[in-house]
Amino acid sequence: MLQQRASIRERLMNIDFVASDTSINTGSYRIWICDLTLTLRELGHSVTINSNSKDSSDVIICSKKDSNKVAKFKSKYPNKKIGVINPSASSKTKADFIIVGSVEEACSFSLYKNVFLYPLIERMYNKKFIKSHLDEDEFIVGFHGHVQHLTKFDPYLKNALTALDLECDLRLLIVTSNENFDWKVGKPKVKNIELVKWTFETASKQISRMDVGVVPNTTDLKPSGSIDTSMDLGLYDSDYMLRFKNKSNAGRAFVFMQLGIPVITDLTPSNLHLLGGMDCGYVATDTNGWLKALRELRVSSKRNEIAINAKKKFSELYDCHEWGKRLIKNIEDVKCLNI
């Protein structure tokens, strides 16, 4: 009976998203509002975007760029629950709950009681069939994402690609929002580098050209000289010393897995959820690691094996409807328990 009541209660949820930026090319809007709205509607909920009337809504959720409106909505609608998506780490929001895209980000909001995870699952890449890899003369290694991440090629991925370019007919394909970016930091010495503009209409096609996807994110802070060590404190010269943003997530790796492109990532924590079993992709921390993985993935049968494993694992762990149900349950708890 309790389960039946819970199901009925969930189907009655009325949510209004507030988004001043409704461009489908904006990732946070595309994933957490446009895609999530479709998912929640498919689960039976009433969901609107920028509704003229908030009176009928149970919950109002502000986009990342509209987090400054939370206080206004809290004042105007004191009986409604107000959420915010992915606010800046320095913000002091009064929202009743926060939606984040990774465990790393959730940890940075530990001050707040209600922080809910909804991963960066992009419905535009959810294709039934994945790429079938064949042996070709040209080996295409690809990157997609913001140009800022290109600096993270430095130094290890840069060195690995420079070495690989001497071994095979290599093409480095970069799919990014600024195809005219003057890439300096982290740029490898590769003869064929192609920068392509990311668009909603062509992104899947361009990324599917790739044989392997690379996802650099961390910055190595380990000095080239000696570091302090201590047996008593458990500090060794083999320790990792990495820096990464609190908003780090596995979203870029997800896209490769959804399309059937085997992926190599660094030690960013969210990546390990899918790659920790070492059968769905590769994790690299230095030049040798990146180069070893790239060499193994030059074999098309290996690429197909990894791609199939990764797609299966992603589908099992990151079904948008299951995560949508979790989010609704969390929001219901805030509403009903007034937490």
Side-chain angles (χ1 to χ4, degrees):
M1 179 64 72
L2 289 176
Q3 287 183 335
Q4 183 179 13
R5 288 178 179 174
S7 298
I8 293 172
R9 184 180 62 198
E10 288 175 3
R11 285 197 298 271
L12 294 177
M13 180 75 79
N14 294 312
I15 298 172
D16 183 48
F17 284 102
V18 175
S20 55
D21 180 358
T22 58
S23 170
I24 199 67
N25 292 320
T26 302
S28 60
Y29 172 78
R30 185 174 64 252
I31 298 169
W32 281 307
I33 297 182
C34 185
D35 282 1
L36 183 54
T37 290
L38 181 58
T39 296
L40 296 181
R41 285 174 178 169
E42 289 171 350
L43 291 173
H45 303 287
S46 176
V47 187
T48 57
I49 302 173
N50 293 327
S51 173
N52 290 328
S53 174
K54 303 287 188 293
D55 294 332
S56 60
S57 299
D58 303 306
V59 175
I60 300 170
I61 303 177
C62 295
S63 75
K64 179 178 181 178
K65 293 186 178 181
D66 294 281
S67 59
N68 61 335
K69 298 177 181 178
V70 168
K72 180 185 73 173
F73 288 131
K74 289 283 290 181
S75 175
K76 188 173 182 179
Y77 305 104
N79 295 323
K80 299 182 185 298
K81 296 301 179 181
I82 314 297
V84 63
I85 296 169
N86 192 26
S88 67
S90 60
S91 66
K92 302 298 181 183
T93 183
K94 298 295 184 181
D96 296 299
F97 62 90
I98 298 172
I99 298 174
V100 299
S102 69
V103 172
E104 295 93 313
E105 189 175 7
C107 288
S108 71
F109 289 113
S110 59
L111 173 67
Y112 299 94
K113 187 172 184 179
N114 301 311
V115 181
F116 306 140
L117 174 61
Y118 187 84
L120 284 80
I121 305 169
E122 298 219 46
R123 293 178 62 122
M124 65 180 283
Y125 299 113
N126 273 344
K127 299 183 180 299
K128 184 176 181 180
F129 301 103
I130 61 175
K131 178 175 180 174
S132 178
H133 293 265
L134 303 173
D135 286 320
E136 305 284 355
D137 292 335
E138 187 177 54
F139 184 52
I140 303 178
V141 175
F143 164 95
H144 75 92
H146 193 275
V147 292
Q148 185 183 70
H149 293 295
L150 290 173
T151 64
K152 305 304 180 181
F153 277 59
D154 192 49
Y156 304 122
L157 179 53
K158 177 185 75 172
N159 294 340
L161 290 169
T162 298
L164 189 67
D165 193 54
L166 301 176
E167 302 177 6
C168 66
D169 183 8
L170 175 65
R171 177 178 296 273
L172 179 58
L173 175 58
I174 308 295
V175 180
T176 186
S177 57
N178 181 6
E179 76 277 23
N180 298 313
F181 178 65
D182 185 14
W183 187 11
K184 294 179 180 179
V185 178
K187 185 177 182 179
K189 295 179 180 179
V190 172
K191 292 184 290 294
N192 296 317
I193 299 180
E194 180 183 357
L195 270 72
V196 176
K197 184 175 179 59
W198 188 102
T199 69
F200 181 80
E201 293 77 18
T202 64
S204 293
K205 181 179 179 180
Q206 292 292 350
I207 295 171
S208 293
R209 292 172 53 198
M210 303 172 186
D211 296 308
V212 175
V214 293
V215 184
N217 180 63
T218 61
T219 300
D220 190 353
L221 299 180
K222 195 168 187 176
S224 57
S226 61
I227 61 174
D228 291 336
T229 61
S230 170
M231 290 286 289
D232 293 335
L233 297 178
L235 302 176
Y236 306 98
D237 56 11
S238 58
D239 291 346
Y240 296 119
M241 298 175 67
L242 302 175
R243 178 174 181 171
F244 53 94
K245 295 193 304 180
N246 81 297
K247 293 186 178 299
S248 296
N249 58 73
R252 285 182 289 148
F254 285 175
V255 171
F256 287 126
M257 293 178 173
Q258 288 170 275
L259 294 177
I261 312 299
V263 63
I264 311 170
T265 75
D266 60 24
L267 268 176
T268 299
S270 286
N271 294 330
L272 303 183
H273 190 210
L274 286 168
L275 301 181
M278 300 184 71
D279 61 345
C280 293
Y282 293 78
V283 178
T285 61
D286 56 21
T287 300
N288 289 330
W290 285 102
L291 190 54
K292 177 183 178 182
L294 287 165
R295 284 171 173 162
E296 289 189 18
L297 288 170
R298 285 186 60 191
V299 180
S300 63
S301 59
K302 188 64 175 178
R303 296 200 298 274
N304 283 316
E305 174 190 338
I306 293 296
I308 291 170
N309 290 344
K311 176 67 172 181
K312 181 175 183 294
K313 182 63 69 69
F314 178 86
S315 298
E316 291 172 352
L317 297 178
Y318 290 97
D319 177 86
C320 61
H321 296 99
E322 291 303 315
W323 281 96
K325 291 175 184 177
R326 292 193 200 185
L327 180 61
I328 288 295
K329 173 63 169 58
N330 287 328
I331 295 173
E332 276 290 354
D333 287 344
V334 173
K335 284 178 70 268
C336 297
L337 302 178
N338 200 30
I339 57 177

